[in-house]
Amino acid sequence: QVQLVESGGGSVQTGGSLRLSCAASENTYSRYSMGWFRQTPGKEREGVAVIDSDGSTFYVDSVKGRFTISQDTPKNTLYLKMNSLKPEETSMYYCAAGRAAAWWLLQHPEHVGHWGQGTQVTVSS
C-alpha cells in the first residue's frame, strides 16, 4: 500500500499562511486521486481539496480562492497552500489517496483507500 507522510503544520495567527506537504512512497499522481481532508474532535472528516490524475482540482466551498492543491510528480509530493487562515480551520489535516474520481472523494471520504497520520494546524485569533 502507498505510504503517506504529512508535514508543514503548525500554529499561525488569523490571516496567516501555511503550506502542507505530503510525501508519498510512490508516484501516486498517475494511479490515484489525491487530496487533503481535515477532522476536528467530535466532527466528521471533511474533504478540503482534491486533485485527480489528470490534474483537475476541486475544493470545498469554504476554502475556494484561499487554498491551492498541487502535486510535484517527480518528487512524489502533494502540497496544500493555505492562505488567509481562519480560527475555525484549526484541525488535524490528513493527506489521502484513493482510486475513485477526485470530485467524488471530496464528498465521500469513506471511499478513500489510504491515509497519512495527519499534521496539526492551529489558527489563533
Side-chain angles (χ1 to χ4, degrees), residues 31-121:
R31 300 177 59 195
Y32 299 90
S33 295
M34 302 288 294
W36 292 93
F37 296 72
R38 61 190 176 192
Q39 186 169 28
T40 300
K43 297 183 179 180
E44 294 184 349
R45 191 163 297 187
E46 173 190 33
V48 178
V50 292
I51 184 168
D52 219 329
S53 59
D54 66 357
S56 299
T57 59
F58 306 89
Y59 301 87
V60 65
D61 287 345
S62 63
V63 310
K64 288 181 178 178
R66 297 186 297 115
F67 290 12
T68 302
I69 186 171
S70 61
Q71 186 164 355
D72 186 333
T73 302
K75 295 182 179 179
N76 295 332
T77 303
L78 181 74
Y79 302 98
L80 182 67
K81 185 62 168 64
M82 310 164 70
N83 293 327
S84 303
L85 283 161
K86 305 174 181 180
E88 56 264 38
E89 291 170 329
T90 292
S91 189
M92 185 73 75
Y93 284 71
Y94 298 89
C95 178
R99 290 289 192 176
W103 60 266
W104 177 260
L105 294 179
L106 183 67
Q107 300 297 327
H108 300 275
E110 69 273 17
H111 291 162
V112 171
H114 307 279
W115 296 97
Q117 285 68 52
T119 185
Q120 179 67 40
V121 171

Side-chain angles (χ1 to χ4, degrees), residues 1-7 21-29 31-32 34 71 75-78 94-98 113-118:
Q1 295 184 346
V2 61
Q3 305 295 314
L4 304 170
V5 180
E6 303 95 331
S7 62
S21 298
C22 172
S25 61
E26 62 184 79
N27 185 353
T28 55
Y29 186 78
R31 300 177 59 195
Y32 299 90
M34 302 288 294
Q71 186 164 355
K75 295 182 179 179
N76 295 332
T77 303
L78 181 74
Y94 298 89
C95 178
H114 307 279
W115 296 97
Q117 285 68 52

